[in-house]
Amino acid sequence: MTQPNTPAFTRTATALTAIFSTALLLAGCQSTPAIQSTAAVSSTAPTSQTEAALTRGLTLVDENHHVTTIGPDRYILDSYIIPFQQPYYILVRKQNGAPFIKHAAEVVAIDYIKPRGCTEPLKRRPDLDKQSADATHYLIGVTC
């Protein structure tokens, strides 16, 4: 048997390491990644220039799309993230495209995100908020 400090052992160990590394690389290319996100993220583009401007640099979480009715108004809500970071950015807009007040967007966004992403108490992050110039789209920031 070859001893650990001999050149033959070193060559064999190096060869085995190379073979094992190549096998891992090839296996990784043929299988799904070991780490997968629990949220489905989208590669689709926002539906309007306003949404694109408000959500630039953020990733849409497809599974969190929601339409809710409050009184006579229907709101469309989507959440956005920066992968591997905590804040949620909730885009709120009325289905009919009409302007509305920021407070309504905040209330709708908080009720929407709690069951979808919060396992700890929700904290409002107004410093992350953005809104369209015409008050038809609001991006509401929260952590939880």
Side-chain angles (χ1 to χ4, degrees):
M1 178 164 201
T2 307
Q3 297 299 317
N5 290 330
T6 65
F9 179 82
T10 303
R11 281 192 307 273
T12 303
T14 302
L16 288 174
T17 301
I19 291 168
F20 183 68
S21 297
T22 302
L24 282 176
L25 179 63
L26 292 174
C29 291
Q30 297 174 359
S31 65
T32 57
I35 300 173
Q36 292 183 353
S37 173
T38 57
V41 292
S42 173
S43 59
T44 59
T47 58
S48 73
Q49 288 182 334
T50 301
E51 289 178 35
L54 291 175
T55 62
R56 182 170 289 119
L58 303 176
T59 302
L60 175 66
V61 180
D62 277 336
E63 69 184 26
N64 284 355
H65 178 77
H66 184 68
V67 178
T68 189
T69 302
I70 300 174
D73 299 316
R74 289 180 59 96
Y75 294 90
I76 301 171
L77 299 108
D78 287 294
S79 66
Y80 289 81
I81 60 169
I82 296 173
F84 308 109
Q85 292 186 16
Q86 173 48 236
Y88 280 98
Y89 302 84
I90 299 104
L91 183 65
V92 182
R93 61 211 180 275
K94 281 190 174 181
Q95 191 170 35
N96 66 5
F100 61 106
I101 62 171
K102 184 178 180 182
H103 179 71
E106 291 172 330
V107 171
V108 172
I110 290 170
D111 286 345
Y112 154 80
I113 200 62
K114 278 183 184 179
R116 288 170 177 78
C118 292
T119 55
E120 296 179 19
L122 182 135
K123 293 179 187 163
R124 260 300 270 126
R125 290 282 311 271
D127 59 305
L128 301 176
D129 292 355
K130 296 179 184 177
Q131 71 184 58
S132 62
D134 61 359
T136 60
H137 293 70
Y138 293 90
L139 192 66
I140 305 298
V142 299
T143 59
C144 50

